[in-house]
Amino acid sequence: DVCSSDLFAKFYESHDDLENARIIFEKATLVNFRAVDDLASVFCSWGEMELRQAEVATEEGDPDGAAEAYQRR
């Protein structure tokens, strides 16, 4: 379910466990969705998480961390 994978990933992100959040998103992309919109929703949520992390890295003065987040996917 798109909603549950998003919730699990956000839970991990909120506990600064980005590795597991990314694993959840990656596994969610392997599901056979009934509609392409559901898969697009997973990728959008994943991208939004990466953008939030890039913003945090930039605010903390780590431009390399921000670049890494943008290049990841």
Side-chain angles (χ1 to χ4, degrees), residues 28-70:
T29 64
L30 302 176
V31 173
N32 290 324
F33 292 104
R34 291 183 185 199
V36 72
D37 289 346
D38 295 333
L39 179 59
S41 178
V42 171
F43 275 110
C44 287
S45 294
W46 191 353
E48 289 168 0
M49 182 195 76
E50 295 295 352
L51 289 171
R52 282 191 299 274
Q53 295 309 310
E55 185 176 327
V56 167
T58 301
E59 288 173 358
E60 292 176 352
D62 182 12
D64 293 333
E68 178 184 324
Y70 283 117

Side-chain angles (χ1 to χ4, degrees), residues 8-28:
F8 278 120
K10 285 182 180 180
F11 170 80
Y12 284 117
E13 181 186 7
S14 71
H15 287 86
D16 294 324
D17 190 351
L18 299 177
E19 183 177 339
N20 280 317
R22 289 179 181 119
I23 289 169
I24 296 295
F25 278 125
E26 188 168 349
K27 287 183 178 184

